[in-house]
Amino acid sequence: MSFTVLEKQVMEDGINYLSSLDKNLSKFLKQFDVPVLPIEKDYFWSLTRSVIYQQISGKAAKKISDRYLKLFNKGPKMSPIDVIKIDIEKIQNVGISRQKASYIKNIAHAFNTKIIDEKNISKLDDQEIISQLTTIKGVGKWTAEMFLIFTLRRPD
C-alpha cells in the first residue's frame, strides 16, 4: 500500500505533537513503526460501515459486513441507488437489525439526493460536516466525529 507525502506528513505531525506532550509516550512511539492509514475515499461506504459496526464486536461486525457486501455485485463500490433498490429484508437477513438497515437506507437516500455532497464534504470544516451528517436519521454526533477522525483523518 502506498501513501501520499501529505498522508505521511499528517501522521508524522500527529506523532510529533503527541510526543511533545508526554516524554513516556514519545519513548513508546519511537519503539514502533507507526502505520500510516490511507485516507478513505468512499464516504458512502465509510458511513454505512460505521452503522454496521456500531455496538457489536469487531469480529461479528466484520462477518456481517462481509455478508452485506455480498448482496451487491460491486462490493464496497455499491452506489446509494443500489442500496435504495434492495429490500430491507435482504439487509436484515445478513444479520443487520431492522433499525440499522433503515439507517443504512437513510444514508443511501442522503447521498443519492445530494443532501450529503460526497465530492465537497471534505472541504467543509469539522462543525459543518457534523451538522450535515447528523441530519441523517441514524447518524449521531459520535458517528460524525468518528467519520472525521477515521475517514477524513482529521485530528481529534
Side-chain angles (χ1 to χ4, degrees):
M1 190 178 297
S2 63
F3 302 99
T4 67
V5 172
L6 178 60
E7 290 167 337
K8 287 181 181 178
Q9 187 60 52
V10 168
M11 188 61 126
E12 286 176 19
D13 290 348
I15 291 168
N16 290 337
Y17 174 73
L18 291 174
S19 295
S20 74
L21 298 176
D22 184 319
K23 69 179 179 178
N24 290 326
L25 181 58
S26 176
K27 288 178 193 175
F28 176 78
L29 291 173
K30 287 178 183 175
Q31 293 177 12
F32 301 96
D33 288 330
V34 179
V36 178
L37 302 173
I39 294 174
E40 175 75 59
K41 302 290 186 209
D42 187 343
Y43 303 150
F44 171 62
W45 169 237
S46 176
L47 277 176
T48 301
R49 184 181 53 228
S50 293
V51 168
I52 292 170
Y53 273 71
Q54 286 175 353
Q55 300 178 328
I56 59 176
S57 77
K59 188 175 181 179
K62 173 78 170 106
K63 285 183 180 183
I64 292 169
S65 177
D66 289 345
R67 288 194 304 253
Y68 173 79
L69 291 174
K70 286 180 183 175
L71 293 173
F72 307 95
N73 293 332
K74 305 169 192 172
K77 297 295 180 198
M78 88 290 268
S79 70
I81 200 70
D82 293 329
V83 175
I84 290 168
K85 287 180 179 179
I86 198 166
D87 290 332
I88 199 165
E89 290 78 19
K90 285 186 178 181
I91 296 172
Q92 286 180 263
N93 288 341
V94 300
I96 296 173
S97 71
R98 183 164 193 80
Q99 183 112 353
K100 282 186 179 184
S102 72
Y103 295 162
I104 290 167
K105 291 268 194 183
N106 294 343
I107 292 168
H109 176 73
F111 276 80
N112 188 57
T113 59
K114 304 295 185 214
I115 291 169
I116 304 300
D117 181 0
E118 192 165 16
K119 291 181 181 171
N120 294 309
I121 194 167
S122 65
K123 297 174 186 168
L124 302 175
D125 70 34
D126 291 356
Q127 201 51 53
E128 290 172 315
I129 293 170
I130 291 169
S131 294
Q132 234 183 58
L133 292 178
T134 56
T135 64
I136 305 169
K137 184 173 179 164
V139 178
K141 187 174 184 213
W142 183 87
T143 301
E145 289 171 343
M146 294 302 102
F147 178 83
L148 289 170
I149 295 168
F150 293 107
T151 301
L152 297 180
R153 303 290 180 230
R154 302 270 176 101
D156 183 6

